C-alpha cells in the first residue's frame, strides 16, 4: 500500500513515540525494560480510556469537556455505593456505566436536536458533574471491596516478574473496541462523515442526529469506564480528581493525529498520543531534578508542532489540487 | 404518452414572494431536458420541490405515473430521483469508495462493513462512467470533475431513474465538460431521464433534447431544442420585446474621453515582487478602463495593489497629482475607491444582513462608530439605491443571501456608491449571473461612468470588456503587456496582443 496523505499524521506520531522512547532509553538504560513499558499502560490507562471516547467527539468535529468531571463523579458514586452502602461491586459498576452513558446521551440530545455547540453543552455538563460529585462528598472516600481487590490484582503474566494487569487490559480492549466501531461499523463511518462535512452528511441521508447523540453517549460511556479504571487505580473516589483531564485527553487525540476540525484520524493514534505523554512524564520522574510541570510544556510544544503539521498537510493538498 | 416524471401545476410561496406558480414540467425516459431561465426565474425552487427539499407545495408530482410526496432528499432518492448539486454533497475527507457507499454499506457478520465488496463495487460503478481511479484515495485529492462523476455514480447506486444535474459544468474545463457529456449520453441511452440546468447556452444546445424555460416563477414553455433558435430562447428567458442580443447592440462604441491634464488616479512603476511586474496606469474621471487577460495573468493582483489589499514593494500611486499612502484597503476607501471582489459570496456581501445594512456598511465605517447614521437616514439611502439601481427585492429589510446573483452584485455597487466614491473597481462583476442581469450590470457601469465615476472593469469575457471600456489594459504572465484604446480596443486586437506576448519591455524581472 502506498503512502497516503491521510496517513502522515499517524506515522509522525509513531515516529515521535519511537524517537522519544529511544532517547529516554539512551539516557536511562532501565527505561528500555518491559516493566517501564507496561507501567506506561498502567499509569495512563484511565486517560487512554477517556481519550477513546474523546476521539469520537473530535472526529465528528465536536468536543467533550465533561469527561474529567465524569471521572471524578464516577469515583465518588462508586466508592460511596460500595464502601458506605455495601452494594455489590459489579452491579455498581454496571450502574455507573449506564448512568454515564445516559448523561452523555442527554448532552448529545441537546447538541443534536437543538443544534447547540458541543463546547457549551459539555461545558455545562462538566460543571454539573463536578458539582454533583462535590454534593455527594467533599471528602475522599476509600474503595473497600475484596472482589475489586482481586479484579485489580489480576494480570496476564508477561515474564517472571512483570504482569500485564487488569486496568491495562481494559485500556487495550477499549482501544480495540473503539477502533472496531470507528472503522467497521456504519455508526463509526457516519461519525467521520459528520466531521468531514455535516451539511453533506445530512444531504446524503445519513442519520446525523442519531449519530451525534450516539457520539456523546459513547464518550460518556468511555469517560465513565475511565472513571472506573481510575478508581481501581487509586482505590478511592475524590470529587477533585480528574481536573484538567479533558484537556489531556484532547491533547492525546490531537497528538494522535486526529484533526481538530474533524473527519480525519485513527483511534490507535490516540493510544500513541497517550503513551507519548506517559513517556515524557516517566522520563521527568526518572530524572528527578526536573520540575514535573515540564511535562506540560513539552506537551504544549508537541501539540503546537502537530497542529502546524496538520495545517501544512491540508494546505499542501489544496495547493496540489489548484 | 407516458412520462417518467411529471410535475403538474406546481406552485409555492415564501413569505412575501410568489416563487413559483402553475409550472408544468415533463420528463421522458432517455431524454436530457434542460431547465432554463435567468437567475430568480424559479429553476432552483422547482428542483428543490422535485428533490423533496421544499414542502408543502401546490400541484402534483408523478413519478412513473404514480404520485410521489417525498418529504426529504433521502426519500426522493430512494424513490428514484437523485440530485447532484453544484456544491457537491460529498465528504471530502473520506475515500472515493466510501463516499459512494456511505449509508448503504454492504455488511458482513456482526454488522461489520464489508470493505472488500465496497471497493470492488465502487470500481464497477465508476467504470460505468469511464472512470478508472484509485477508489481508496481521499475524495478531495481529485479534481472537481472527478468528484462530480463520483456524485453521479452515487446517484446511480440508488438506482436513479431521474438524475438532476444542477449547474454541473460551471467549474469544469472544456475537456471535462465533453467527458461529462459523453457520460450523460451513456446514461440517456440506458433510459435515464436527466434534468440539466446550465447558464451556458452552447452547452444546452450541445446536449439537450428538450428545454423548459421559466421566467419570474412562471412557465414560458417547453421547446424542442433542435427547433429552437438562440434568439427565441433568449427572448423566452428575458421576455422583453428587446431581447438580450439587441440590448447588447445598443451599446455604441464609446468615445475616448479627452485626456485630462491630471488624471484622477495615476499608478507609476507599481510593483509587488512575485505577484505583479512594474506597471503604469492612469484613471480618468468618467472613463471605464478594462483589464483583459486570462486567469492568472495578474489582473486581479494588480487591482489588489491599487486597492491597497497587498502593499506596494516599489512605485507610487497619485490621486489628483498627490502621492497617497496605500497600506490597507482602509486608505484606499478613504481616498474614494471602492472594490467589488471576484468572490462576492465570501468577500463582498454579508448574507445574513439585510439589503439596507449591506448598503450602509462602508458609509458607516467611514463615519466611524460614534457618528451613527439614524435609522431613517439608513432607510432613505437604501431606498434611493434600490430604486436607482433597480435592485429586485421586496424591501430593504430582505436578507441579501435571498437575492439573486445579479442583485447581490448591485447591492455591493450600491454600498460603494453610498460613500463618497471616485473610483470603482469591479473584479468579474458579471460572473455567474445570467444574460439579462449581465446586460443590466454593464448598462449600470456605463451610466455611472457618465456621471463622472472612474471605473476599473476586470472580466474574462473579452466582448464584455470591449463593449464597456474605452481603454483596455492587457495582462499576461503577471505583467501589463499593452494598452488599447478607442477603435483599437477590439476583441481580435486583445487576443492578438495576448498571443504576441510582451509588447513593451518591463525591463526588470520580478
Amino acid at each position: 500500500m502506498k503512502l497516503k496523505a491521510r496517513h502522515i499524521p499517524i506515522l509522525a506520531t509513531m515516529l515521535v513515540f519511537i524517537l522519544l522512547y529511544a532517547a529516554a532509553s539512551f539516557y536511562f538504560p532501565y527505561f528500555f525494560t518491559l516493566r517501564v513499558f507496561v507501567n506506561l499502560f498502567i499509569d495512563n490507562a484511565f486517560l487512554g480510556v477517556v481519550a477513546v471516547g474523546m476521539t469520537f467527539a473530535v472526529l465528528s468535529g465536536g468536543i467533550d469537556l465533561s469527561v474529567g468531571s465524569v471521572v471524578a463523579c464516577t469515583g465518588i458514586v462508586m466508592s460511596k455505593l460500595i464502601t458506605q452502602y455495601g452494594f455489590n461491586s459489579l452491579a455498581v459498576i454496571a450502574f455507573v456505566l449506564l448512568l454515564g452513558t445516559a448523561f452523555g446521551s442527554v448532552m448529545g440530545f441537546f447538541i443534536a436536536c437543538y443544534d447547540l455547540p458541543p463546547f457549551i453543552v459539555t461545558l455545562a455538563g462538566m460543571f454539573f458533574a463536578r458539582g454533583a460529585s462535590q454534593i455527594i462528598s467533599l471528602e475522599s472516600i476509600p474503595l473497600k471491596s475484596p472482589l475489586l481487590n482481586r479484579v485489580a490484582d489480576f494480570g496476564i503474566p508477561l515474564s517472571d516478574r512483570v504482569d500485564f494487569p487488569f486496568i491495562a487490559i481494559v485500556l487495550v480492549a477499549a482501544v480495540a473496541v473503539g477502533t472496531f466501531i470507528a472503522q467497521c461499523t456504519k455508526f463509526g463511518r457516519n461519525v467521520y462523515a459528520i466531521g468531514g462535512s455535516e451539511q453533506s452528511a445530512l444531504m446524503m441521508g445519513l442519520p446525523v442526529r442519531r449519530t451525534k447523540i450516539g457520539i456523546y453517549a459513547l464518550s460518556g460511556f468511555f469517560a465513565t469506564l475511565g472513571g472506573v479504571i481510575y478508581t481501581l487505580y487509586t482505590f478511592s473516589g475524590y470529587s477533585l480528581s480528574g481536573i484538567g483531564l479533558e484537556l489531556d485527553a484532547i491533547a492525546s487525540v490531537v497528538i494522535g493525529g486526529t484533526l481538530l476540525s474533524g473527519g480525519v484520524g485513527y483511534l490507535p493514534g490516540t493510544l500513541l498520543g497517550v503513551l507519548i505523554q506517559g513517556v515524557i512524564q516517566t522520563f521527568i520522574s526518572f530524572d528527578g531534578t526536573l520540575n514535573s510541570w515540564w511535562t506540560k510544556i513539552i506537551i504544549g510544544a508537541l501539540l503546537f508542532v502537530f497542529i502546524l503539521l496538520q495545517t501544512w498537510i491540508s494546505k499542501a493538498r489544496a495547493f496540489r489540487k489548484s | 404518452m407516458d412520462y417518467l416524471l411529471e410535475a403538474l401545476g406546481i406552485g409555492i410561496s415564501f413569505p412575501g414572494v410568489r416563487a413559483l406558480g402553475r409550472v408544468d414540467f415533463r420528463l421522458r425516459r432517455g431524454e436530457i431536458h434542460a431547465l432554463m431561465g435567468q437567475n430568480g426565474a424559479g429553476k432552483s425552487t422547482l428542483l428543490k420541490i422535485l428533490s423533496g427539499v421544499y414542502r408543502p407545495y401546490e400541484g402534483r408530482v408523478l413519478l412513473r405515473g404514480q404520485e410521489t410526496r417525498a418529504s426529504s432528499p433521502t426519500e426522493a432518492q430512494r424513490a428514484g430521483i437523485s440530485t447532484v448539486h453544484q456544491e457537491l454533497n460529498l465528504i471530502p475527507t473520506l475515500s472515493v469508495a466510501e463516499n459512494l457507499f456511505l449509508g448503504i454499506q454492504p455488511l458482513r457478520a456482526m454488522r461489520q462493513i464489508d470493505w472488500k465488496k465496497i471497493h470492488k463495487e465502487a470500481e464497477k460503478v465508476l467504470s460505468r462512467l469511464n472512470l478508472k481511479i484509485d477508489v481508496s484515495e481521499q475524495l478531495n485529492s481529485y479534481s472537481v470533475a472527478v468528484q462530480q462523476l463520483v456524485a453521479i455514480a452515487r446517484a446511480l447506486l440508488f438506482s436513479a431513474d431521474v438524475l438532476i444535474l444542477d449547474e454541473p459544468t460551471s467549474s469544469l474545463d472544456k475537456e471535462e465538460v465533453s467527458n461529462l457529456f459523453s457520460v450523460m449520453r451513456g446514461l440517456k441511452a440506458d433510459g435515464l431521464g436527466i434534468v440539466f440546468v446550465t447558464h451556458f447556452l452552447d452547452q444546452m444546445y450541445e446536449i439537450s433534447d428538450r428545454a423548459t424555460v421559466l421566467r419570474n416563477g412562471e412557465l414560458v414553455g417547453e421547446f424542442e431544442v433542435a427547433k429552437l433558435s438562440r434568439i427565441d430562447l433568449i427572448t423566452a428567458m428575458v421576455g422583453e420585446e428587446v431581447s438580450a442580443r439587441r440590448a447588447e447592440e445598443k451599446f455604441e462604441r464609446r468615445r475616448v474621453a479627452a485626456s485630462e491634464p491630471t488624471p484622477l488616479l495615476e499608478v507609476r512603476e507599481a510593483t509587488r515582487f512575485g505577484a505583479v511586474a512594474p506597471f503604469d496606469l492612469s484613471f480618468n474621471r468618467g472613463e471605464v478602463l478594462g483589464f483583459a487577460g486570462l486567469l492568472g495573468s495578474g489582473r486581479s493582483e494588480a487591482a489588489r495593489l491599487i486597492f491597497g489589499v497587498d502593499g506596494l514593494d516599489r512605485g507610487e500611486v497619485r490621486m489628483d497629482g498627490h502621492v497617497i499612502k496605500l497600506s490597507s484597503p482602509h486608505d484606499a476607501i478613504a481616498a474614494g475607491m471602492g472594490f467589488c471582489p471576484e468572490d462576492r459570496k465570501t468577500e463582498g456581501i454579508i448574507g445574513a444582513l439585510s439589503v439596507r445594512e449591506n448598503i450602509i456598511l462602508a458609509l458607516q465605517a467611514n463615519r466611524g462608530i460614534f457618528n451613527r447614521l439614524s435609522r431613517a437616514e439608513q432607510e432613505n439611502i437604501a431606498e434611493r439605491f434600490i430604486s436607482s439601481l433597480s435592485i429586485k427585492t421586496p424591501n430593504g429589510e430582505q436578507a441579501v443571501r435571498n437575492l439573486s446573483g445579479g442583485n447581490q452584485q448591485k447591492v455591493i455597487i450600491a454600498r460603494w456608491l453610498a460613500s463618497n466614491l471616485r473610483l470603482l473597481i469591479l473584479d468579474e462583476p458579471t460572473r455567474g449571473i445570467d444574460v439579462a442581469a449581465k446586460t443590466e450590470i454593464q448598462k449600470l457601469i456605463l451610466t455611472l461612468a457618465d456621471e463622472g465615476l472612474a471605473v476599473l472593469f476586470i472580466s474574462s469575457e473579452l466582448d464584455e470588456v470591449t463593449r464597456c471600456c474605452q481603454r483596455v489594459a492587457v495582462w499576461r504572465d503577471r505583467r501589463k503587456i499593452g494598452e488599447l484604446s478607442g477603435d483599437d480596443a477590439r476583441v481580435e486586437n486583445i487576443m492578438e496582443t495576448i498571443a504576441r506576448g510582451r509588447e513593451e519591455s518591463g525591463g526588470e524581472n520580478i
Side-chain angles (χ1 to χ4, degrees), chain A residues 2 4-6 180 183-186 189-190 192-206 259 262-264 317 320-321, chain B residues 73-74 77 85 88-95 98-99 102-105 107 110-113 115 134 136-138 140-142 147 154:
Chain A
K2 67 182 203 283
K4 289 180 177 158
R6 65 173 183 270
F180 178 82
Q183 298 301 318
C184 304
T185 65
K186 280 192 175 191
R189 302 322 293 171
N190 292 345
Y192 278 88
I194 291 172
S197 163
E198 187 170 335
Q199 180 60 29
S200 294
L202 210 59
M203 293 298 286
M204 287 168 107
L206 302 180
L259 245 54
V264 180
R317 182 174 294 138
R320 203 179 40 180
K321 229 175 25 169
Chain B
T74 323
Q77 195 163 45
H85 294 276
L88 301 165
N89 285 308
L90 297 171
I91 314 290
T93 49
L94 293 179
S95 76
E98 189 160 11
N99 266 290
L102 257 181
I104 48 170
Q105 297 100 330
L107 298 177
M110 279 177 64
R111 304 181 55 76
Q112 194 180 345
I113 292 173
W115 285 109
D134 179 358
S136 66
E137 192 66 66
Q138 206 166 304
N140 63 1
S141 60
Y142 291 107
Q147 296 188 23
R154 182 174 162 90

Side-chain angles (χ1 to χ4, degrees), chain B residues 20 160 284 290 312-313 343 436 445 471 476 487:
Chain B
L20 217 55
N284 299 315
L312 286 174
D313 284 331
D343 194 348
I445 292 168
R471 253 185 327 133
R476 189 180 127 169
D487 288 337

